[in-house]
Amino acid sequence: QVQLVESGGGLVQPGGFLNFSCAASGIIFCGSTMAWYRQPPGKQRELVATITTDGITNYIGSVKGRFTTSRNNTKNTMYLQMNNLKPEDTAVYYCKRSGNPEYWGQGTQVTVSS
């Protein structure tokens, strides 16, 4: 059974930080390109960042320099460090295992508000 379990969401003030993790089981994690998505209220889900099996990362422009994704293949876990959070970062965040088939985490709420 494939599971992607996210943890680390919550409420934070603008300028604050949060650290996410996505623990995978039931897949060959080290052979999987992984990704973070988010869905802001009333908007479509969007790609935030990707990380390849070799650890090469890419980010959307609005989070570059503020978000960092990484992975630990020994622990089958991907991480997202989010700094200098802004109200527009408010969304449900998801991790995804790319490929065929793709798998999604359950989603975790992040709210950035004073």
Side-chain angles (χ1 to χ4, degrees), residues 4-80:
L4 298 179
V5 179
E6 299 144 8
S7 61
L11 172 65
V12 64
Q13 292 186 340
F17 69 92
L18 282 173
N19 293 319
F20 263 36
S21 64
C22 172
S25 60
I27 61 171
I28 303 175
F29 183 80
C30 63
S32 300
T33 291
M34 302 294 294
W36 293 98
Y37 281 74
R38 67 185 180 186
Q39 187 164 16
K43 297 184 179 180
Q44 290 188 331
R45 194 174 296 188
E46 64 177 0
L47 176 65
V48 175
T50 60
I51 183 166
T52 68
T53 56
D54 295 331
I56 297 171
T57 57
N58 275 293
Y59 303 89
I60 59 172
S62 60
V63 308
K64 274 184 181 179
R66 300 188 298 120
F67 290 14
T68 302
T69 189
S70 59
R71 64 192 296 161
N72 184 326
N73 289 338
T74 300
K75 295 183 177 180
N76 288 354
T77 302
M78 174 175 66
Y79 304 96
L80 183 65

Side-chain angles (χ1 to χ4, degrees), residues 11-19 65-67 81-90 110-114:
L11 172 65
V12 64
Q13 292 186 340
F17 69 92
L18 282 173
N19 293 319
R66 300 188 298 120
F67 290 14
Q81 181 177 349
M82 303 184 289
N83 295 321
N84 190 21
L85 283 160
K86 303 176 180 181
E88 51 264 40
D89 295 319
T90 296
V110 170
T111 302
V112 184
S113 175
S114 55

